C-alpha cells in the first residue's frame, strides 16, 4: 500500500513537470501511472478518473497504442467492480483499436480480459472461445507467459463446468510453462486453480498442498490478492470436509486481506461464505446477519450478480427454518435479478430453490414444473453437472409422491451423467438414493447392487462417512430380507467407521440395531416378515 502511494506521488510530480514543459507524452504516461497506482489499491473511482485523463492525453497526441491500453485498463477496472456490461464494452473498444493497428499482444490481452468477464457471467461458451483465440495469438507471437495466462483462463472455464480432465490439463500446462520461465505472482493463482480441481474431485490432500504452495508464493511476491484466493480455496476445502472452525479461520483471514485492499466484492463474498458456514451449523441468526451484511456491501457498490447470489443464500436460511413463504419471496427476488441480467444459470439455480420450497409445502405440481424448467435451461446450456443435480431433485420429489418408476428413471439418469463426468462422489450418493427407491419397491437384489457399488466407490475415495451410511442401509436391507448374519456384519462395520469418525449418535444407533440382532438367533429365520420401512439417515 505504501509503495503504491509513493509511486502515485512520484507520478504526480512527473505530471507537474510534463505540464510545465508542455510534454504531452510525459503527461499521458504520468496520468497512466497514477491510474495504475489507484487500480492496484482497488481505489476504482480514482482509477477511473485518471484512466479517462490518460485516455484523453493519448488521444491528444494521437497515440493509438496508449488509447487502446487505457480502454483495456478501464475494462479491468469495471470488471473488478463486477460491472460486466461496461467491462465488456471497454474491452471490445480496446480490441477494435488493437486490431486496426495490428497490435497482436493487445488483442490477446483484450481476449483474455473478455474471457474472465464471460466466466463471471457464466457464459462459458464465449469464455472458452475468447481464451482459445488468445492462446492462438500468444502462441503465434511467441509469448510464453501469455500462453500460460490463456491456459489458466481455460482451466477455470473447464473447472466451472466440472470438466475436470480438461481443467487439470490446462492448469498443468500453464504451470509447466512457469516451471521453465521461473515463478512469478501469477503462478500462485494457477496453483490455486489446480487445487480447486483436486478439491472438486475429493482429492483433499493434494488440494491442501497446492493451496499452501500458492500461499507461500503469494507471500514471497507480496501478492495479497493471490494469498486471499488461496485462503478462500482452503476455506472451501475445509468446508466440504465439515471442518468448520478451520474454514471460518481461512475465510476470515481472506476477508481481512480484502478489507485491507479495499476489495469490496471480496469482502462481500467472504461474508457470504461465512454465512454458509453458520447456516451449515444451524446458526441461523449469525448466517442471516452475514448474508444481510454482504447484501448491503454488494448493493452499495452496484454488484448485482453478487446481490442475487446473496439473496439466494439468504433464502436458504429462511427455508432451513421452514419459513417457506419468506424463502420463496427471497428466491424470487434473486431470480428477477438473474433474469434481468440474462444469467441463465442463475435463473435455473433459483428455480430449483423455489421448487424446493414448493416441495416442502407439498405443492408438488409447482415444484415439478420449476425443476423441469430448470432442467431444460441446463440442458440447453450443456451444463451436465446441474442437469444431473436437477434429475436427483426430481427423483426425490417423485419418491415423496410414491411415483417410484419416475424416481428410478431420474436417479438412473443422474448417475449416468456423473459417471460420464467422472464425479465419483456424486455418483455414489445417487446410487444410494437409487437403492432406497429399489427398497421401497421391494426390489432387494437391485437395491443391494446399488448399495454395493456406492460403498465400493466411497471406499476408493476414502469417504468413511459415505461408507458408514451405506453399510447401515445395507444392514437394514439384509435384515428386511431375513439375512440377519449379513445384517450384523454390515451394522458392525458401520459402527466401527462411525466410531473412527467420532460420530457418537450414529455409532450408538447402529449399536442398538446390532444388539437387536445378536441376542435373538431364533429371529434369523427367513420367514420373518420383512420391514419395508426406510429409516431416516443423515444426508451423505
Amino acid at each position: 500500500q505504501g509503495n503504491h502511494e509513493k509511486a502515485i506521488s512520484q507520478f504526480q510530480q512527473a505530471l507537474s513537470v510534463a505540464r510545465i514543459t508542455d510534454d504531452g507524452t510525459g503527461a499521458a504516461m504520468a496520468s497512466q501511472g497514477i491510474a495504475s497506482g489507484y487500480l492496484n489499491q482497488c481505489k476504482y473511482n480514482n482509477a477511473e478518473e485518471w484512466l479517462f485523463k490518460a485516455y484523453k492525453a493519448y488521444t491528444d497526441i494521437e497515440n493509438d497504442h496508449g488509447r487502446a491500453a487505457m480502454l483495456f485498463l478501464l475494462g479491468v477496472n469495471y470488471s473488478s467492480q463486477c460491472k460486466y456490461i461496461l467491462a465488456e464494452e471497454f474491452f471490445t473498444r480496446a480490441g477494435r483499436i488493437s486490431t486496426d493497428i495490428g497490435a497482436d499482444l493487445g488483442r490477446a490481452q483484450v481476449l483474455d480480459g473478455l474471457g474472465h468477464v464471460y466466466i463471471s457471467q457464466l457464459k462459458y461458451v464465449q469464455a472458452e472461445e475468447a481464451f482459445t483465440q488468445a492462446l492462438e495469438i500468444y502462441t503465434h507471437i511467441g509469448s510464453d507467459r501469455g500462453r500460460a495466462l490463456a491456459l489458466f483462463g481455460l482451466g477455470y472455464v473447464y473447472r466451472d463446468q466440472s470438466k475436470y480432465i480438461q481443467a487439470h490439463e490446462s492448469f498443468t500446462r500453464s504451470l509447466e510453462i512457469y516451471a521453465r520461465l521461473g515463478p512469478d505472482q501469477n503462478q500462485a493463482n494457477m496453483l490455486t486453480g489446480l487445487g480447486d480441481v483436486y478439491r472438486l474431485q475429493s482429492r483433499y490432500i493434494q488440494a491442501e498442498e497446492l493451496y499452501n504452495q500458492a500461499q507461500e508464493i503469494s507471500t514471497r511476491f507480496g501478492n495479497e490478492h493471490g494469498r486471499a484466493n488461496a485462503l478462500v480455496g482452503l476455506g472451501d476445502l475445509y468446508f466440504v470436509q465439515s471442518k468448520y472452525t478451520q474454514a471460518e479461520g481461512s475465510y476470515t483471514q481472506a476477508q481481512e486481506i480484502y478489507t485491507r485492499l479495499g476489495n469490496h466484492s471480496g469482502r462481500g463474498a467472504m461474508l457470504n461464505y461465512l454465512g454458509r458456514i453458520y447456516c451449515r451449523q444451524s446458526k441461523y441468526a449469525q448466517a442471516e446477519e452475514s448474508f444481510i451484511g454482504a447484501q448491503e456491501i454488494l448493493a452499495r457498490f452496484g454488484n448485482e450478480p453478487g446481490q442475487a447470489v446473496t439473496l439466494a443464500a439468504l433464502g436458504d436460511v429462511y427455508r432451513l427454518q421452514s419459513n417457506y413463504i419468506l424463502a420463496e419471496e427471497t428466491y424470487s427476488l434473486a431470480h428477477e435479478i438473474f433474469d434481468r441480467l440474462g444469467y441463465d444459470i442463475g435463473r435455473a439455480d433459483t428455480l430449483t430453490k423455489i421448487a424446493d420450497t414448493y416441495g416442502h409445502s407439498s405443492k408438488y405440481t409447482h415444484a415439478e414444473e420449476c425443476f423441469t424448467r430448470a432442467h431444460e435451461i441446463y440442458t440447453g446450456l450443456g451444463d451436465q453437472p446441474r442437469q444431473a443435480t436437477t434429475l436427483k431433485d426430481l427423483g426425490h420429489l417423485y419418491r415423496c409422491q410414491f411415483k417410484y418408476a419416475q424416481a428410478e428413471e431420474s436417479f438412473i439418469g443422474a448417475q449416468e451423467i456423473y459417471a460420464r463426468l467422472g464425479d465419483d462422489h456424486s455418483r455414489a450418493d445417487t446410487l444410494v438414493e437409487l437403492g432406497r427407491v429399489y427398497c421401497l419397491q421391494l426390489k432387494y437384489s437391485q437395491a443391494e447392487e446399488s448399495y454395493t457399488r456406492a460403498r465400493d466407490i466411497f471406499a476408493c475415495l476414502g469417504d468413511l462417512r459415505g461408507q458408514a451410511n451405506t453399510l447401515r442401509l445395507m444392514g437394514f436391507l439384509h435384515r428386511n430380507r431375513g439375512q440377519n448374519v449379513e445384517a450384523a456384519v454390515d451394522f458392525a462395520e458401520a459402527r466401527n467407521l462411525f466410531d473412527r469418525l467420532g460420530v457418537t449418535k450414529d455409532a450408538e444407533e447402529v449399536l442398538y440395531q446390532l444388539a437387536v440382532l445378536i441376542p435373538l438367533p431364533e429371529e434369523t429365520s427367513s420367514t420373518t416378515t420383512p420391514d419395508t420401512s426406510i429409516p431416516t439417515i443423515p444426508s451423505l
Side-chain angles (χ1 to χ4, degrees):
Q1 198 84 0
N3 289 336
H4 293 310
E5 291 292 350
K6 183 177 179 180
I8 289 172
S9 177
Q10 290 172 342
F11 280 122
Q12 285 172 333
Q13 292 176 30
L15 178 60
S16 297
V17 172
R19 285 172 174 167
I20 292 170
T21 59
D22 200 24
D23 179 1
T25 300
M29 293 177 66
S31 297
Q32 178 178 345
I34 294 169
S36 296
Y38 284 128
L39 188 56
N40 288 330
Q41 295 179 84
C42 303
K43 295 182 177 179
Y44 301 120
N45 291 335
N46 303 73
E48 180 181 8
E49 176 187 351
W50 282 96
L51 284 169
F52 276 115
K53 287 180 179 179
Y55 176 79
K56 183 180 183 304
Y58 281 121
T59 301
D60 290 342
I61 61 174
E62 299 181 351
N63 184 328
D64 288 335
H65 285 277
R67 287 174 58 225
M70 295 309 96
L71 290 170
F72 171 77
L73 289 176
L74 280 162
V76 172
N77 187 58
Y78 292 129
S79 178
S80 300
Q81 299 174 77
C82 303
K83 297 178 179 179
Y84 299 123
I85 295 174
L86 281 172
E88 186 173 349
E89 176 190 338
F90 280 89
F91 280 138
T92 303
R93 288 175 60 187
R96 288 198 200 102
I97 295 175
S98 295
T99 301
D100 290 342
I101 62 178
D104 288 339
L105 178 60
R107 280 179 58 220
Q109 290 173 334
V110 164
L111 286 164
D112 195 80
L114 280 169
H116 287 289
V117 167
Y118 291 139
I119 286 178
S120 298
Q121 295 177 289
L122 314 179
K123 298 178 179 178
Y124 298 120
V125 174
Q126 296 97 313
E128 183 174 359
E129 183 180 339
F131 287 126
T132 301
Q133 288 181 39
L135 179 61
E136 291 171 355
I137 295 171
Y138 284 131
T139 302
H140 175 70
I141 64 178
S143 172
D144 285 337
R145 290 193 187 276
R147 285 177 53 226
L149 290 172
L151 286 165
F152 167 72
L154 282 169
Y156 271 106
V157 171
Y158 297 133
R159 183 208 67 174
D160 288 356
Q161 297 178 90
S162 302
K163 297 178 179 179
Y164 301 132
I165 295 173
Q166 297 99 310
H168 184 278
E169 180 185 355
S170 294
F171 286 129
T172 302
R173 286 174 62 193
S174 69
L175 286 165
E176 287 171 351
I177 293 172
Y178 273 101
R180 294 196 306 271
L181 298 175
D184 73 4
Q185 64 180 13
N186 289 316
Q187 187 181 19
N189 289 330
M190 293 166 189
L191 286 166
T192 297
L194 186 56
D196 290 343
V197 174
Y198 286 139
R199 169 176 55 82
L200 292 164
Q201 293 178 305
S202 303
R203 297 164 66 178
Y204 300 137
I205 295 174
Q206 297 100 312
E208 187 166 5
E209 289 175 356
L210 289 171
Y211 290 138
N212 286 327
Q213 286 181 44
Q215 277 202 87
E216 290 170 9
I217 291 174
S218 296
T219 301
R220 190 191 320 159
F221 285 95
N223 179 6
E224 288 282 82
H225 269 117
R227 183 163 167 257
N229 291 339
L231 283 165
V232 172
L234 275 172
D236 291 342
L237 176 65
Y238 295 137
F239 180 81
V240 297
Q241 297 178 89
S242 303
K243 298 178 179 178
Y244 299 125
T245 301
Q246 295 99 311
E248 184 174 354
S250 294
Y251 290 144
T252 300
Q253 286 185 65
Q255 183 186 31
E256 290 169 356
I257 294 173
Y258 289 133
T259 300
R260 191 163 60 247
L261 292 172
N263 186 329
H264 306 298
S265 293
R267 283 177 58 214
M270 291 310 97
L271 282 171
N272 261 331
Y273 289 167
L274 288 167
R276 187 175 59 167
I277 290 174
Y278 299 138
C279 198
R280 184 67 68 85
Q281 296 175 296
S282 302
K283 298 177 180 178
Y284 298 125
Q286 290 161 274
E288 185 174 1
E289 182 181 349
S290 289
F291 289 134
I292 290 174
Q295 175 74 1
E296 290 172 351
I297 291 172
L298 296 167
R300 189 160 64 247
F301 293 96
N303 183 344
E304 285 198 294
Q307 286 179 257
V309 169
T310 306
L311 283 166
L314 186 57
D316 291 341
V317 173
Y318 298 137
R319 175 177 55 81
L320 289 167
Q321 296 177 87
S322 302
N323 191 340
Y324 300 123
I325 294 175
L326 191 53
E328 184 185 343
E329 289 176 359
T330 310
Y331 289 144
S332 296
L333 288 171
H335 184 269
E336 287 172 10
I337 295 174
F338 284 129
D339 194 35
R340 186 170 66 252
L341 295 172
Y343 285 15
D344 288 335
I345 288 181
R347 284 174 53 227
D349 285 349
T350 47
L351 278 171
T352 63
K353 292 176 181 292
I354 292 169
D356 198 41
T357 63
Y358 285 141
H360 280 92
S361 303
S362 301
K363 299 176 181 178
Y364 298 127
T365 302
H366 294 307
E368 184 176 349
E369 180 184 342
C370 287
F371 279 135
T372 302
R373 284 169 58 198
H375 186 260
E376 289 170 355
I377 294 172
Y378 294 140
T379 302
L381 294 169
D383 191 325
Q384 293 189 70
R386 286 179 168 87
Q387 281 179 260
T389 300
T390 310
L391 283 171
K392 277 182 68 176
D393 290 334
L394 280 166
H396 290 299
L397 186 67
Y398 290 134
R399 188 175 65 194
C400 289
Q401 300 174 81
F402 311 107
K403 297 180 179 179
Y404 299 131
Q406 294 99 314
E408 185 179 328
E409 182 182 350
S410 295
F411 286 131
I412 289 173
Q415 78 91 18
E416 287 174 350
I417 293 174
Y418 288 132
R420 287 200 301 272
L421 293 172
D423 186 347
D424 290 334
H425 198 281
S426 296
R427 183 180 171 216
D429 283 344
T430 309
L431 283 166
V432 168
E433 296 305 321
L434 182 60
R436 292 174 62 146
V437 171
Y438 285 138
C439 277
L440 288 165
Q441 299 175 87
L442 308 184
K443 297 180 179 179
Y444 293 129
S445 295
Q446 294 102 310
E448 184 168 5
E449 180 185 350
S450 290
Y451 288 149
T452 301
R453 289 166 65 193
R455 180 201 62 195
D456 292 345
I457 293 171
F458 285 131
C460 288
L461 294 173
D463 185 338
L464 300 184
R465 182 180 286 275
Q467 291 178 72
N469 281 330
T470 308
L471 282 164
R472 174 165 51 184
L473 284 173
M474 292 178 74
F476 285 117
L477 168 65
H478 285 131
R479 188 195 68 186
N480 291 347
R481 301 184 79 178
Q483 298 171 331
N484 286 3
V485 173
E486 291 86 346
V489 171
D490 294 330
F491 287 136
E493 289 183 19
R495 181 204 171 195
N496 179 49
L497 290 171
F498 283 130
D499 278 338
R500 287 171 61 187
L501 288 165
V503 186
T504 305
K505 182 179 178 181
D506 290 292
E508 290 176 351
E509 190 270 334
V510 173
L511 180 60
Y512 169 76
Q513 298 297 337
L514 193 59
V516 169
L517 289 171
I518 292 176
L520 302 172
E522 67 273 18
E523 290 186 6
T524 59
S525 168
S526 60
T527 60
T528 303
T529 302
D531 175 8
T532 60
S533 64
I534 301 297
T536 300
I537 66 166
S539 140
L540 298 179

